[in-house]
């Protein structure tokens, strides 16, 4: 099978949707520039913290892509564009914050990878190989019995004490690790695991000032009747769709 055949098949299957995503990114960028709307680093960091601490497993679509932070920035930008003419009384924003303060507290989250095996001997051997300089992601792909994460280099996303998908021992071990370090073998109910810490996101209680713009945006989006997408700006910016028929 030639590379040309492969690319032709990929274009036929996904070309339209990928092109649409690229067009939407450009449309949002131009519309935002035209309206003088931007996303501050502080806004992005707040949003990222919530996603990592509350929606951190790889069930969350953004975390499956290399540029997910920029996708989130673009998503915030799009929402800002769509609700720029919606006025939300500050009393409503304060009421939302006051009445739902627990929503604006995030637990400490740990971005982990793991390798899961059946036998203690195998886990110990992997641990020794890691100490000798072996690459965690390679060993995860080669030896972990968790096929889903193995295809992601062992990466299982961000977990907290409340995460039920993975053993509580993962968080206990991760709390003692520094980023870039791995644990000794951990005894599981049906095997052994070694975890690797990518990042620790410290738990935080956000002040009203820190989440005000996010709450305003969420309340405004909730008032919208249509879907949150960039199609609204296509005509405004004169987009010509030349790749087949525009859906």
């Amino acid at each position: 099978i030639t590379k040309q055949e492969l690319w032709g098949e990929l274009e036929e299957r996904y070309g339209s949707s990928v092109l649409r995503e690229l067009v939407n990114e450009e449309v949002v960028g131009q519309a935002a520039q035209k309206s003088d709307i931007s996303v501050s680093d502080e806004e992005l960091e707040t949003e990222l913290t919530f996603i990592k601490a509350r929606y951190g497993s790889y069930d969350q679509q953004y975390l499956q892509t290399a540029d997910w932070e920029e996708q989130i920035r673009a998503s915030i930008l799009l929402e800002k564009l769509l609700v720029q003419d919606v006025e939300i009384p500050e009393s409503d924003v304060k009421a939302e914050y006051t009445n739902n303060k627990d929503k604006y507290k995030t637990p400490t989250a740990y971005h982990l990878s793991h390798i899961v095996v059946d036998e203690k001997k195998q886990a110990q051997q992997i641990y020794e190989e890691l100490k000798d300089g072996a690459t965690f992601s390679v060993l995860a792909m080669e030896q972990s019995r968790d096929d889903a994460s193995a295809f992601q280099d062992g990466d299982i996303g961000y977990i907290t004490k409340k995460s039920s998908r993975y053993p509580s021992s993962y968080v206990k071990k991760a709390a003692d690790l520094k980023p870039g370090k791995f644990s000794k073998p951990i005894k599981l109910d049906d095997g052994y695991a070694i975890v690797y810490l990518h990042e620790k996101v410290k738990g935080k209680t956000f002040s009203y000032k820190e989440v005000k713009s996010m709450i305003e945006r969420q309340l405004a989006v909730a008032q919208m009747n249509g879907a949150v997408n960039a199609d609204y700006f296509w005509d405004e910016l004169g987009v010509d769709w030349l790749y087949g028929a525009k859906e």
Side-chain angles (χ1 to χ4, degrees):
I1 298 175
T2 67
K3 183 180 292 187
Q4 184 177 359
E5 289 175 318
L6 170 62
W7 286 111
E9 184 68 20
L10 289 173
E11 182 178 6
E12 183 177 343
R13 292 190 185 189
Y14 309 112
S16 178
S17 60
V18 171
L19 179 58
R20 183 179 295 277
E21 289 178 10
L22 294 174
V23 171
N24 283 340
E25 289 177 12
E26 182 65 23
V27 163
V28 169
Q30 289 191 23
Q33 186 175 19
K34 183 178 179 181
S35 299
D36 195 25
I37 292 175
S38 62
V39 177
S40 69
D41 291 340
E42 291 77 13
E43 287 177 308
L44 178 61
E45 187 59 35
T46 296
E47 198 88 16
L48 289 174
T49 299
F50 275 94
I51 290 174
K52 291 173 180 178
R54 296 192 182 279
Y55 314 105
S57 79
Y58 273 81
D59 291 334
Q60 216 288 336
Q61 61 175 341
Y62 289 122
L63 300 180
Q64 298 183 42
T65 59
D67 61 345
W68 67 284
E69 292 187 8
E70 287 307 309
Q71 287 190 32
I72 293 168
R73 185 189 291 274
S75 177
I76 297 171
L77 199 60
L78 174 59
E79 289 181 352
K80 282 190 168 190
L81 280 166
L82 292 171
V83 302
Q84 60 184 307
D85 296 324
V86 179
E87 293 186 10
I88 303 295
E90 185 164 1
S91 58
D92 290 355
V93 181
K94 287 183 176 178
E96 163 63 21
Y97 179 80
T98 302
N99 296 333
N100 300 282
K101 282 191 175 181
D102 284 346
K103 286 174 57 177
Y104 306 105
K105 295 179 182 178
T106 56
T108 298
Y110 303 89
H111 182 190
L112 300 177
S113 288
H114 74 168
I115 300 172
V116 185
V117 295
D118 294 323
E119 303 295 335
K120 181 178 181 179
K121 182 178 179 180
Q122 184 182 4
Q124 189 62 38
Q125 181 180 346
I126 292 171
Y127 176 69
E128 296 299 330
E129 290 182 32
L130 290 169
K131 287 200 302 181
D132 289 339
T135 304
F136 195 97
S137 60
V138 172
L139 291 179
M141 287 188 291
E142 291 177 347
Q143 301 198 45
S144 181
R145 73 181 190 201
D146 180 12
D147 293 336
S149 66
F151 283 113
Q152 298 283 350
D153 297 339
D155 202 327
I156 58 174
Y158 293 80
I159 69 172
T160 71
K161 285 184 177 180
K162 295 183 178 180
S163 300
S164 59
R165 185 171 180 179
Y166 298 100
S168 59
S169 55
Y170 277 25
V171 169
K172 291 178 182 178
K173 289 292 184 180
D176 296 328
L177 294 176
K178 294 181 179 179
K181 301 298 182 180
F182 51 87
S183 72
K184 293 182 178 180
I186 303 168
K187 179 71 173 70
L188 307 177
D189 291 339
D190 59 346
Y192 290 82
I194 297 172
V195 298
Y196 176 95
L197 178 64
H198 296 276
E199 178 189 13
K200 176 181 177 180
V201 182
K202 190 175 181 180
K204 180 176 181 178
T205 299
F206 286 86
S207 68
Y208 172 72
K209 181 179 179 181
E210 288 175 311
V211 294
K212 179 184 176 183
S213 64
M214 183 174 72
I215 296 174
E216 286 177 334
R217 193 178 73 250
Q218 291 174 345
L219 293 177
V221 168
Q223 294 184 10
M224 293 178 56
N225 294 323
V228 179
N229 58 55
D231 289 358
Y232 173 82
F233 302 102
W234 280 45
D235 290 338
E236 180 181 328
L237 294 176
V239 175
D240 289 326
W241 182 261
L242 302 178
Y243 187 93
K246 180 172 179 277
E247 298 175 0

